[in-house]
Amino acid sequence: MRTDTSPGTLPAREHLPAAPAGTPVLDVVVPVHNEERDLQPCVRRLHAHLARTFPYPFRITIADNASTDTTPRVAARLAAEIPEVGSVRLEQKGRGRALRAVWSASDAPVLAYMDVDLSTDLNALLPLVAPLISGHSDLAIGSRLARTSRVVRGPKREFISRAYNLILRGSLQARFSDAQCGFKAIRRDVAQLLLPLIEDTGWFFDTEMLVLAERAGLRIHEVPVDWVDDPDSSVHLVRTATDDLKGVWRVGRALATGALPLDRLARPFGDDPRDREIEDVPHGLARQLVGFCVVGALSTLFYLLLYSGFRVLTGSQTANALALLVSAVANTAANRRLTFGVRGRGGVVRHQAQGLVVFGIGLVLTSGSLAALDAATSAPAHSTELAVLVAANLAATVLRFLLFRAWVFPDRRPDAPPQPAAAPAPPAPSDGPLPGRPTLQPYDDQHPGRLLEPAHDDQHSGPPLQPAHDDQHSGPPLRPARPHDTDPGDLR
């Protein structure tokens, strides 16, 4: 996996500031390979739709990756005829490589791409990018598998698509519904940090981008789309599926071994409302209750198994004390890590000592229940003993959670959480060519960030569009969103 140095911490998620007249807000990339027949009607239809419905300046960039037919000439002709259209030529194939090249060099704050066949209804384009413009989301994807989507395609492609997304859910714990729909958008400031971590240059590029973004805690917006399958699609299903499965294995292994530095994508402290001091709202109570119930259920099962085993060798009181002691140590360790999110070894001895005090209270409750049962009947059945112990443990569990939350792992939030830095004024427009008529340069994949010599005709040559740098956030990095591991009260 890529481990390039990240440019810095992500800025706070905010509404895009008003841009100077003519500066493109949206850059729609259309990656193509040998699409001489479909390219011109696609670009003209897309341009007409954006000119009619999109309320912001825009650009359409044709990313020709190693076409061997007349696609480059068609792209150059469209760029010459339509001011809002530009073209880039790459000498190597790969949709991911094309997207990385154009997105890395674009100056538009919102970057999108769509397949040249325009299988997705263009009415979904504005809903796709609106959450990125408003600052609500970091990425947006079209979904053919949402309940309200309307899709027309054959059974083979339907089966492959659903099976692939099920694989992602089972192996990479992906929560987005459709990884392969060729209709996606991303904010430029997010792309600048996310792209260096993505290794794939082909069809798996989309999936890798989404998985890493989701694991980093970025917000992905999904838009139900109307989608009609292109029967003339040139995608090789078997080879693409094989490459995708290899990518799933590679990304899953990198995530499992911690090879991906996803903490680089942390938001500034205060961007998440869970970072803030909010009065009269219990901090993380719902999540802690769920974690405590899961740990408690497993601990109870573990305790009953231990009790049954010890009961064969000794009396009920001794078996209960031993089983409760062992399960209490395991319960405290599990709650420390999973429920209250405390990592590292700091305070572990104190936490276990306090957990033993809580264990003592549980021991009094359960032992008292057994003593009361023995007083009521001389020879209680084993099933009766278990039922009494379950009831006593339920009462002890409620008390244990209250003591854990208030005493063992208290909520220690800072008195005055730092405020996010105010966003400075947007930078002044450059003196370069009008952004409505850009001349992008080809991308050198062997040297990321380096652009090759332009391949356009002389009539429209001009200064190349250089990779954008976000001067608004070039100051000292803000404090990461996630607090210190040993402070459970501030966990997000």
Side-chain angles (χ1 to χ4, degrees):
M1 302 300 297
R2 293 178 181 266
T3 56
D4 312 44
T5 301
S6 173
T9 303
L10 281 172
R13 193 188 292 118
E14 297 175 348
H15 196 294
L16 293 177
T23 301
V25 172
L26 173 66
D27 192 348
V28 182
V29 182
V30 182
V32 291
H33 174 73
N34 292 343
E35 298 287 354
E36 58 183 1
R37 185 183 66 177
D38 294 336
L39 179 57
Q40 178 166 304
C42 159
V43 171
R44 293 191 180 278
R45 178 183 164 197
L46 175 59
H47 177 266
H49 176 83
L50 287 170
R52 186 180 69 255
T53 65
F54 195 69
Y56 302 97
F58 64 87
R59 177 193 302 136
I60 300 172
T61 302
I62 304 169
D64 171 30
N65 47 318
S67 293
T68 57
D69 58 4
T70 62
T71 297
R73 291 198 293 272
V74 176
R77 185 169 64 250
L78 289 169
E81 295 176 1
I82 306 175
E84 292 83 9
V85 175
S87 65
V88 175
R89 166 73 178 180
L90 288 86
E91 299 301 331
Q92 291 179 288
K93 289 180 61 177
R95 182 178 66 173
R97 178 179 286 109
L99 293 177
R100 184 197 307 278
V102 180
W103 283 357
S104 298
S106 179
D107 61 346
V110 176
L111 312 169
Y113 95 88
M114 60 181 60
D115 292 336
V116 69
D117 55 17
L118 296 186
S119 295
T120 304
D121 182 12
L122 292 178
N123 287 326
L125 182 55
L126 184 55
L128 183 80
V129 301
L132 308 186
I133 295 174
S134 69
H136 176 271
S137 301
D138 300 297
L139 298 90
I141 64 174
S143 175
R144 300 163 296 183
L145 302 181
R147 290 187 177 181
T148 54
S149 298
R150 292 175 291 188
V151 177
V152 178
R153 61 177 166 180
K156 182 171 77 171
R157 286 182 177 271
E158 180 76 12
F159 172 78
I160 292 175
S161 177
R162 292 188 178 274
Y164 178 66
N165 284 280
L166 284 176
I167 291 173
L168 294 181
R169 289 176 178 269
S171 59
L172 300 179
Q173 288 77 52
R175 295 190 299 274
F176 47 85
S177 63
D178 190 352
Q180 294 178 311
C181 182
F183 195 70
K184 295 181 175 68
I186 185 173
R187 285 177 64 108
R188 186 190 64 188
D189 52 6
V190 175
Q192 287 176 335
L193 297 186
L194 191 59
L195 291 179
L197 303 179
I198 302 175
E199 180 175 334
D200 192 80
T201 59
W203 292 97
F204 188 70
F205 177 90
D206 302 48
T207 302
E208 188 169 355
M209 177 179 68
L210 292 175
V211 170
L212 299 187
E214 190 175 72
R215 288 298 186 95
L218 303 184
R219 178 176 288 164
I220 301 175
H221 178 74
E222 296 198 17
V223 178
V225 297
D226 298 342
W227 195 86
V228 179
D229 190 14
D230 178 14
D232 298 325
S233 174
S234 60
V235 178
H236 193 288
L237 293 180
V238 176
R239 182 171 63 247
T240 301
T242 302
D243 292 341
D244 286 347
L245 292 178
K246 292 179 180 178
V248 170
W249 168 256
R250 173 177 53 79
V251 172
R253 182 177 57 185
L255 292 172
T257 59
L260 286 167
L262 298 181
D263 55 340
R264 295 176 183 170
L265 300 175
R267 288 281 177 187
F269 191 88
D271 181 74
D272 193 319
R274 292 171 293 183
D275 296 336
R276 307 169 193 160
E277 184 79 23
I278 303 176
E279 296 181 358
D280 302 325
V281 178
H283 190 67
L285 178 60
R287 182 188 61 79
Q288 291 177 358
L289 277 174
V290 172
F292 185 82
C293 289
V294 172
V295 172
L298 296 176
S299 297
T300 300
L301 179 61
F302 183 50
Y303 161 78
L304 293 176
L305 292 175
L306 288 174
Y307 177 82
S308 298
F310 289 140
R311 186 66 176 86
V312 177
L313 305 175
T314 184
S316 61
Q317 293 286 3
T318 304
N320 172 64
L322 292 174
L324 198 58
L325 176 62
V326 176
S327 61
V329 173
N331 180 275
T332 300
N335 276 306
R336 182 179 187 271
R337 174 65 178 85
L338 302 177
T339 302
F340 298 96
V342 181
R343 298 172 177 83
R345 297 185 178 182
V348 63
V349 176
R350 175 174 58 83
H351 292 155
Q352 283 292 350
Q354 291 172 315
L356 289 178
V357 174
V358 178
F359 150 75
I361 298 174
L363 178 62
V364 171
L365 287 174
T366 53
S367 297
S369 301
L370 286 176
L373 179 63
D374 290 336
T377 175
S378 57
H382 183 64
S383 59
T384 304
E385 286 182 347
L386 292 180
V388 170
L389 288 173
V390 168
N393 268 287
L394 288 177
T397 297
V398 175
L399 183 60
R400 185 184 305 120
F401 177 76
L402 296 176
L403 290 174
F404 273 174
R405 182 175 170 81
W407 181 48
V408 183
F409 309 106
D411 184 3
R412 297 191 182 97
R413 282 173 284 182
D415 295 335
Q419 299 297 323
S430 64
D431 296 331
L434 290 177
R437 196 182 186 90
T439 303
L440 300 178
Q441 290 184 346
Y443 180 77
D444 187 352
D445 187 65
Q446 302 300 322
H447 304 281
R450 180 186 301 173
L451 300 176
L452 300 177
E453 293 298 321
H456 301 288
D457 53 55
D458 296 337
Q459 181 181 359
H460 301 286
S461 62
L465 181 62
Q466 297 298 330
H469 297 283
D470 195 350
D471 294 331
Q472 300 183 33
H473 307 286
S474 59
L478 298 176
R479 176 178 166 184
R482 292 172 179 79
H484 195 275
D485 285 340
T486 58
D487 191 351
D490 286 337
L491 286 173
R492 299 176 61 178

